[in-house]
Amino acid sequence: MAVPDFDYESFAQNLAAQAQELVPADFNDAQKQYVVNTLGNFALLSGKALAEDPNLNFNADQAVTITQIIAEWSFHKSVDLVRSGIPQQYWDTVMQKIAYTIFEIAKQTFSQGLPNDKILELVEHHVKKTYLDAITELKNKGVIDEGLMEFAASQSNMDKMAQEMQQQQQAAAANNPEGQDAPPVPTAPDGTTAVAIQPDGTPVSASSIVESKVLKLATVAMLFNKMKQDRVQTILNKFDEDDASSVVRYMRVPDLADKVGKENAMLALQDLKQVLPRSTNLTPQRVIAQIKLFASKYSRKQLDTILIRERMGVKRLVFNALEDEFYDGMPPKVASVVATHLSNIV
């Protein structure tokens, strides 16, 4: 066996047993059994392949992680299919495509030694794409209509569970206003931690973060982490020496974006943009040229990877520009900012 210390059968059974407790309570017995069986079967098949294929060269930890990723997504997407309204005879076809996609993406990314967070991002991107492609194919074959396709596409059990967890956290904080047991952590509406941090990584009081210089410097550091370092240094040379030092220290803080919080970062950016110079040339043609110059450095596959975390509007802006067309869904001023941001990606 390629991974002799990976007991994939017991692991798959354990994952299926855990799933029994997580299946939505409103599902009937047949629906619950479908979700559990689907997760268990795909976990077993992937675990067997990882354990017995001598060409894969994964260790036990990697095999466990890949199998667990497949099991988790099998759970979420099978729940989505049950809720989608798509006839049950087509569920297995969709799930097989999703499981195969996860297995192949996980194999490639683990073999390349990518960081775990990047692997999870790539898997999520391709799972969502495969799911949408599969239900679109059903619509094109006349199995479902466009309305049902759109409803199925809107299903996301993963997002639903995350929202429920956030609501539980907020309820717990509301029931413990004095923080007798543990001080509640302030959160932004999207669930991220809404606290600013000192340059050494310690949090400051949430009550003053919106107006604080600390928050603005931390937000600048977040932006700089996405830029080429030579450009960062050029900009820092124009900063006050103390501010520049603080920004550099913020850039080294682990999980900076989570500690600042998305809502607080947006508020800081609103303040910062008031003092930024206005762009004087915002023609669509200039934006298209800037994006095409950025895109010329990458293959289509690399562009897909780079744009995984971007909003759909950004993706449309880029791929329209490659066809010498301007995406009208985005104002030229915003498009210019996006183009500049993309040009600074390493």
Side-chain angles (χ1 to χ4, degrees):
M1 296 174 65
V3 190
D5 49 348
F6 175 39
D7 184 355
Y8 61 87
E9 292 184 348
S10 295
F11 187 55
Q13 291 172 1
N14 183 45
L15 291 172
Q18 293 179 42
Q20 293 272 8
E21 307 300 322
L22 298 174
V23 178
D26 59 316
F27 281 16
N28 62 39
D29 289 342
Q31 293 168 334
K32 291 179 181 179
Q33 203 58 47
Y34 177 81
V35 172
V36 173
N37 288 346
T38 299
L39 179 152
N41 289 338
F42 285 139
L44 181 64
L45 291 172
S46 59
K48 180 179 175 65
L50 292 165
E52 298 182 355
D53 188 340
N55 297 318
L56 293 179
N57 296 319
F58 290 129
N59 59 39
D61 288 341
Q62 291 171 322
V64 165
T65 301
I66 293 173
T67 303
Q68 188 164 7
I69 291 172
I70 290 174
E72 289 176 354
W73 276 111
S74 297
F75 175 84
H76 289 301
K77 299 317 290 181
S78 59
V79 169
D80 290 345
L81 279 172
V82 172
R83 288 176 168 152
S84 70
I86 293 174
Q88 185 169 352
Q89 61 263 39
Y90 302 105
W91 293 355
D92 284 348
T93 300
V94 176
M95 290 306 306
Q96 287 164 7
K97 292 177 179 179
I98 290 172
Y100 175 79
T101 296
I102 300 172
F103 190 70
E104 290 302 312
I105 295 298
K107 282 197 306 181
Q108 294 173 22
T109 52
F110 273 93
S111 296
Q112 295 168 8
L114 295 183
N116 284 347
D117 59 343
K118 179 59 66 177
I119 291 173
L120 294 177
E121 288 175 9
L122 286 168
V123 168
E124 180 175 3
H125 166 74
H126 286 284
V127 166
K128 291 179 177 179
K129 182 178 185 300
T130 301
Y131 177 71
L132 291 175
D133 288 347
I135 60 178
T136 300
E137 183 179 347
L138 292 176
K139 192 269 290 186
N140 292 338
K141 290 180 177 179
V143 173
I144 59 176
D145 60 23
E146 186 166 353
L148 184 54
M149 181 193 72
E150 292 179 354
F151 179 75
S154 70
Q155 300 302 311
S156 178
N157 186 64
M158 175 170 279
D159 291 344
K160 185 175 185 295
M161 289 183 68
Q163 184 179 18
E164 289 173 351
M165 290 178 63
Q166 178 186 339
Q167 291 172 347
Q168 291 172 2
Q169 292 171 352
Q170 291 173 342
N175 292 331
N176 187 25
E178 302 299 327
Q180 292 92 343
D181 297 323
V185 179
T187 57
D190 62 355
T192 54
T193 304
V195 293
I197 53 173
Q198 298 287 2
D200 62 358
T202 58
V204 299
S205 170
S207 61
S208 60
I209 58 176
V210 174
E211 299 298 332
S212 72
K213 184 177 182 180
V214 169
L215 176 61
K216 293 174 184 175
L217 294 177
T219 302
V220 169
M222 288 169 55
L223 297 177
F224 282 1
N225 279 331
K226 297 180 177 294
M227 294 170 57
K228 296 178 180 178
Q229 293 308 302
D230 56 348
R231 181 170 175 80
V232 168
Q233 190 57 55
T234 299
I235 299 174
L236 281 175
N237 290 339
K238 301 177 183 180
F239 275 51
D240 173 84
E241 184 175 347
D242 290 339
D243 289 347
S245 297
S246 294
V247 170
V248 171
R249 290 196 294 273
Y250 282 129
M251 291 174 69
R252 297 171 182 159
V253 173
D255 302 321
L256 179 62
D258 291 337
K259 292 177 179 176
V260 171
K262 185 182 295 184
E263 181 178 287
N264 293 319
M266 293 302 297
L267 289 170
L269 287 173
Q270 289 293 325
D271 289 341
L272 287 170
K273 77 175 185 179
Q274 302 300 323
V275 297
L276 293 177
R278 302 289 181 179
S279 176
T280 56
N281 193 344
L282 298 176
T283 64
Q285 291 74 21
R286 181 179 178 85
V287 172
I288 290 172
Q290 189 174 2
I291 291 176
K292 290 181 72 173
L293 178 61
F294 148 75
S296 67
K297 305 172 186 176
Y298 307 99
S299 68
R300 176 57 186 257
K301 184 176 180 180
Q302 290 172 322
L303 277 177
D304 285 336
T305 301
I306 290 170
L307 297 173
I308 281 176
R309 301 182 67 180
E310 301 293 348
R311 292 186 296 274
M312 183 57 67
V314 173
K315 296 175 183 177
R316 289 179 178 171
L317 177 70
V318 171
F319 292 117
N320 279 20
L322 295 181
E323 302 295 330
D324 291 317
E325 297 178 359
F326 184 75
Y327 174 50
D328 293 332
M330 185 177 295
K333 184 181 295 186
V334 176
S336 178
V337 173
V338 171
T340 299
H341 161 70
L342 293 173
S343 298
N344 290 323
I345 293 177
V346 177

